Amino acid sequence: MARMSGATWRPVPNRTLNGQQSVRGVVVHIMAGTLAGTDSWFRNPTAQASSHFGTGKTGALYQWVDTKDRAWAQANGNREWISVENEGKGGEKLTEAQLDRNAQVLAWAHQKHGVPLQLATGPSSRGLGYHAMGGSAWGGHTQCPGTKIVAQLPEILKRAKAIVNGGDTKPPTTGGGTYTVKKGDTLSGIAAAHGTTVKAMADLNGLKDPNKLAVGQKLKVPGKASTPAKPQYEPFPGASFFHAGRKSPIVTAMGRRLVAEGCGRYSQGPGPNWTNADKASYAAYQRKLGYSGAAADGIPGKTSWDKLRVPKQL
């Protein structure tokens, strides 16, 4: 089971149970519609469509499909890629809140599934990608998500790296709504009452002069900031944990992190069974850290394990 903390869980029937073969990366889409409309569409069995995640312009984040299950978003790319649909239309950019949410999904996918923090160059690559890069094999959606959003992918990657490295990044937003201007209202007063800023209100509503408000005017209100959950990592289980016959999701999570570190020596997998491929991969990681000889024997030690930051397995 892999559900993202901080995402609103809204399961839909359109999915293939236990159908996700691997996770090469995260694919960015545009909905060509609203979050509410897409949520409704994914609940219609005749739609034959779904996505793992979806964002709203004001910062809502839905998870529709568990990442152990296959979503139906990009045809032949479904088996190996996590999908994120974004509210909006072709030709638009993602909002600041959507950039944050996509960055959070990418950071989570890195920590949970070992997705490398890099831009994908095509279906056989890994990292952060977009629907059109899959060509006809991915449904031929050459305008999804559009050139303006593709140009924003480096910014999403930058923010994801900041989250993973514990650096500063803009917090996600939740909720939001509208406010009807009353007599005597000022934009500063409305912003203060909703826990936001005049600039955020002006930018969201396209106000050229923040001092000019009309009674009855409806203003969009940004959602309140929320704090991303601090990543949790598996504590070192002890060297004796790693032996022939060991089967554990911790081994899978470790293998995915080794792949993300460029140390994977797997012909297939990684998987839950401790194998010689895991040992060879960990030995490569130990050598990357500067160990040699008996200190790079492929059996995890506490110091190297803590540096690997294997995601906590629930």
Side-chain angles (χ1 to χ4, degrees):
M1 179 182 297
R3 299 177 189 171
M4 180 180 168
S5 174
T8 300
W9 176 239
R10 294 182 60 83
V12 296
N14 294 347
R15 68 193 190 282
T16 303
L17 293 175
N18 300 309
Q20 197 68 28
Q21 294 180 356
S22 63
V23 180
R24 301 190 66 84
V26 175
V27 179
V28 176
H29 296 250
I30 191 72
M31 290 178 183
T34 66
L35 181 62
T38 300
D39 182 75
S40 177
W41 181 238
F42 287 169
R43 297 176 191 287
N44 184 343
T46 64
Q48 293 293 292
S50 63
S51 176
H52 287 102
F53 295 94
T55 77
K57 286 191 172 185
T58 59
L61 176 63
Y62 289 174
Q63 183 172 2
W64 287 300
V65 178
D66 191 302
T67 56
K68 69 178 175 60
D69 300 329
R70 188 190 314 160
W72 303 339
Q74 58 264 334
N76 286 355
N78 290 334
R79 290 178 173 82
E80 297 184 312
W81 294 82
I82 291 174
S83 45
V84 184
E85 286 281 358
N86 293 279
E87 183 176 41
K89 298 178 181 179
E92 295 180 345
K93 290 184 177 181
L94 297 180
T95 66
E96 286 293 310
Q98 286 177 307
L99 290 173
D100 284 337
R101 286 309 208 185
N102 278 267
Q104 282 190 314
V105 171
L106 178 59
W108 177 82
H110 169 74
Q111 294 161 340
K112 190 68 179 178
H113 295 293
V115 172
L117 295 180
Q118 64 186 26
L119 296 179
T121 57
S124 62
S125 181
R126 303 181 73 233
L128 178 64
Y130 57 97
H131 194 179
M133 77 178 191
S136 58
W138 284 17
H141 294 264
T142 59
Q143 302 303 312
C144 182
T147 56
K148 290 183 179 179
I149 294 178
V150 171
Q152 292 179 300
L153 297 186
E155 177 62 23
I156 294 173
L157 178 61
K158 177 182 176 182
R159 296 186 188 193
K161 288 181 177 179
I163 295 170
V164 170
N165 295 328
D168 293 332
T169 188
K170 294 181 179 180
T173 56
T174 57
T178 60
Y179 176 82
T180 303
V181 176
K182 300 178 178 62
K183 185 177 181 179
D185 276 342
T186 63
L187 194 60
S188 60
I190 297 171
H194 289 84
T196 186
T197 65
V198 170
K199 184 179 186 303
M201 290 284 294
D203 290 347
L204 183 60
N205 291 279
L207 301 178
K208 294 182 179 180
D209 186 349
N211 296 315
K212 291 185 177 179
L213 298 177
V215 175
Q217 180 179 0
K218 291 188 179 298
L219 298 175
K220 296 177 182 178
V221 179
K224 294 183 179 180
S226 61
T227 303
K230 185 178 180 180
Q232 293 184 319
Y233 302 113
E234 279 291 340
F236 180 53
S240 61
F241 178 86
F242 303 96
H243 60 77
R246 170 66 70 187
K247 183 176 182 180
S248 169
I250 295 175
V251 177
T252 304
M254 177 205 71
R256 287 169 174 165
R257 284 292 298 123
L258 292 171
V259 171
E261 290 290 332
C263 298
R265 299 295 184 266
Y266 302 95
S267 59
Q268 61 181 8
N273 295 305
W274 174 261
T275 67
N276 287 335
D278 294 296
K279 188 174 182 180
S281 299
Y282 206 94
Y285 176 65
Q286 289 168 324
R287 290 192 294 272
K288 180 179 179 179
L289 294 180
Y291 295 105
S292 61
D297 61 359
I299 302 300
K302 187 177 188 310
T303 300
S304 60
W305 180 269
D306 290 344
K307 290 181 180 179
L308 187 58
R309 297 187 299 180
V310 176
K312 182 74 174 177
Q313 300 303 294
L314 302 178

